[in-house]
Amino acid sequence: MTVTTRFAPSPTGHLHVGNIRTALHNWLLAKQAGGRFMLRIDDTDAERSREEYVDGIRADLAWLGLVPDGEERQSARFALYEAQFERLRAAGRVYRCYETAQELDLKRKVLLGRGLPPIYDRAALKLTEDDHAAKAAAGEAPHWRFLLDHDEPIAWDDGIRGAQAFEARMMSDPVVRRADGSWLYMLPSAIDDIDMGITDVLRGEDHVSNTAAQVQMFTALGATPPRFAHEALLTGSEGKLSKRLGSLGVAQLRENGIEPEAVIALLARLGTSDPVDPALDAKALAASFTLRHFGRAPARFDEAELHRVNAAVVHRLPFARVAHLLPDGMGEAAWEAIRPNLEHIGEAAEWWQVVTGPVAVPTLEDEDRAFLATAAETLAGLEWSGEVWRALTGALKEATGRKGKALFLPLRLALTGREHGPDMAALLPLIGRDAALERLRAAS
Ligand code: GLU
């Protein structure tokens, strides 16, 4: 069977770093096996779901390069849920309940007060058809629970957590449908996973208890459960679930000059024992992706690390990838000369301005000004080539006896107006002969 994974966000907000990581890991898991990565929009909650978030999710995935091999949305699949629900109803696997939230809360408190686990007592199972008729006559509509089979063991071999076992009798029968007929997350998700041929469900460990109930939903629907894996949750660098993480999304990352390649390189390895490698693209990361390398400890997301990875990524980006983001006239040689000095692509414009000028004329000691006058004369007599910086500094070293900082710094200051910057050997040919002579003379 083709490995098929899915990313199933609820469009009730923008994707944040944690969601992005889940999406990426599902993409990697699918691609690693030559399989399919599906996007499922979990929009059964009509009130909280918004179309702008659906568009945002698609745009964010596109920016990251995580292109889904197919998309479904739950709001278009109610007929399927209805049909499967009828099957479960006919088989006696869903039942009608009428307790209010307050009543349920009270029951829970009583149990907890007695030191017992707050499990739903199945009181509604005892209602007769007459009781139901009376409720209906009184205008009371039921909500529905899935009847867990207390005799069916719940176990799976979790791709990350290892062997998992739950006792159905220690769990409440989950509510799957509200009194107004709307669906809660659990049942539609299992129905979709079956219908969409999902072979691997990879999601956060906050879903482990849902999985325990869903395992029985799969079997009740006549399907073999998919493989499950639950990742440790993402925490901030300080080790706690931070507010910042919950809001940090693609929009802010882009605003901060973070490239998708950096997000991918970092998040692909976050939570695993594998080192982050800025040289690896998504395809290479997929090739080496394995759930076996995931740990159970919370995965720490450090924004400072993302910035470091981003700089390393920018230093490797080929011209063709960035050409449209660069100032007019800035070509491949300039990009290659300048990129080692960048943290963000946006800073290229600043350095390009250093190439094209004008640059600040430095204030220097007389001695350095005399040296720069010699430099201008020397440069004027040199043949202009790609090697001109070496030729110039070699000749000046010989003529003046200067070396190291005394040789290079005045030249850099005069030619660029700055103390630091890209390799002068690459920069000088870009500045050009006339501008270089003019800058040396102006500083002398
Ligand atoms: N919509 C659910 C969520 O965002 C999906 C969980 C799942 O992967 O099944 O939590």
Side-chain angles (χ1 to χ4, degrees), residues 65-403:
L66 306 178
V67 183
D69 298 304
E71 180 185 315
E72 297 289 349
R73 52 194 300 175
Q74 293 195 316
S75 58
R77 299 165 66 81
F78 288 148
L80 173 67
Y81 307 151
E82 200 69 61
Q84 299 295 41
F85 180 78
E86 276 314 313
R87 277 182 60 201
L88 293 176
R89 187 181 162 160
R93 291 304 297 269
V94 287
Y95 63 97
R96 289 164 284 181
C97 303
Y98 301 88
E99 292 92 346
T100 62
Q102 289 91 321
E103 282 165 346
L104 291 171
D105 203 38
L106 191 64
K107 283 184 193 232
R108 269 194 297 269
K109 280 189 181 135
V110 169
L111 288 169
L112 286 169
R114 289 200 216 131
L116 295 169
I119 299 165
Y120 176 60
D121 60 9
R122 294 186 160 176
L125 268 185
K126 300 188 186 85
L127 297 175
T128 63
E129 278 312 312
D130 285 348
D131 295 331
H132 289 298
K135 294 273 188 198
E140 262 187 82
H143 59 270
W144 294 80
R145 286 187 189 260
F146 176 77
L147 183 69
L148 291 168
D149 181 345
H150 285 181
D151 297 323
E152 185 187 319
I154 298 174
W156 73 92
D157 184 16
D158 194 285
I160 293 172
R161 298 164 65 86
Q164 304 287 298
F166 284 78
E167 280 231 47
R169 70 184 68 250
M170 297 306 288
M171 296 159 55
S172 292
D173 291 332
V175 177
V176 292
R177 198 169 190 181
R178 298 186 191 89
D180 65 2
S182 64
W183 302 98
L184 279 102
Y185 151 76
M186 294 264 257
L187 184 59
S189 179
I191 292 171
D192 285 336
D193 286 340
I194 297 167
D195 187 65
M196 292 165 69
I198 302 300
T199 59
D200 294 79
V201 171
L202 171 58
R203 54 190 176 188
E205 65 185 7
D206 50 332
H207 283 286
V208 167
S209 58
N210 289 338
T211 299
Q214 284 176 327
V215 162
Q216 285 207 354
M217 293 180 188
F218 282 99
T219 46
L221 291 162
T224 307
R227 287 182 288 265
F228 286 102
H230 296 86
E231 304 191 312
L233 297 183
L234 213 56
T235 68
S237 51
E238 58 306 327
K240 283 185 286 195
L241 278 170
S242 67
K243 269 217 182 105
R244 170 107 184 114
L245 266 189
S247 62
L248 189 62
V250 164
Q252 287 93 330
L253 294 172
R254 290 183 78 160
E255 234 165 73
N256 293 332
I258 301 294
E259 300 303 322
E261 291 92 336
V263 179
I264 301 283
L266 179 65
L267 294 185
R269 294 285 168 87
L270 209 58
T272 76
S273 50
D274 301 324
V276 175
D277 186 345
L280 297 183
D281 64 7
K283 258 196 197 147
L285 288 164
S288 59
F289 186 78
T290 167
L291 293 177
R292 284 200 310 273
H293 292 179
F294 278 82
R296 297 215 21 202
R300 288 185 182 213
F301 173 79
D302 181 357
E303 250 184 290
E305 187 180 11
L306 179 60
H307 282 274
R308 285 194 294 276
V309 174
N310 191 62
V313 159
V314 168
H315 300 168
R316 297 170 172 277
L317 288 177
F319 177 67
R321 156 74 173 77
V322 298
H324 64 292
L325 304 169
L326 301 178
D328 279 347
M330 186 171 165
E332 184 160 7
W335 169 247
E336 279 171 11
I338 284 169
R339 71 181 175 179
N341 282 73
L342 306 180
E343 283 186 16
H344 309 133
I345 297 173
E347 296 160 355
E350 243 174 82
W351 290 112
W352 181 238
Q353 205 275 320
V354 167
V355 170
T356 55
V359 299
V361 180
T363 322
L364 297 168
E365 303 288 331
D366 289 349
E367 229 177 291
D368 283 339
R369 291 173 47 201
F371 167 67
L372 290 173
T374 311
E377 261 170 54
T378 310
L379 184 62
L382 285 176
E383 201 184 317
W384 192 259
S385 78
E387 296 295 306
V388 67
W389 174 253
R390 243 189 24 180
L392 174 66
T393 51
L396 285 172
K397 191 172 173 181
E398 207 157 290
T400 66
R402 285 190 181 223
K403 55 184 186 200

Side-chain angles (χ1 to χ4, degrees), residues 427-440:
L427 218 49
L428 185 53
L430 296 168
I431 292 170
R433 187 174 191 273
D434 293 345
L437 285 173
E438 199 185 296
R439 292 181 196 181
L440 289 173

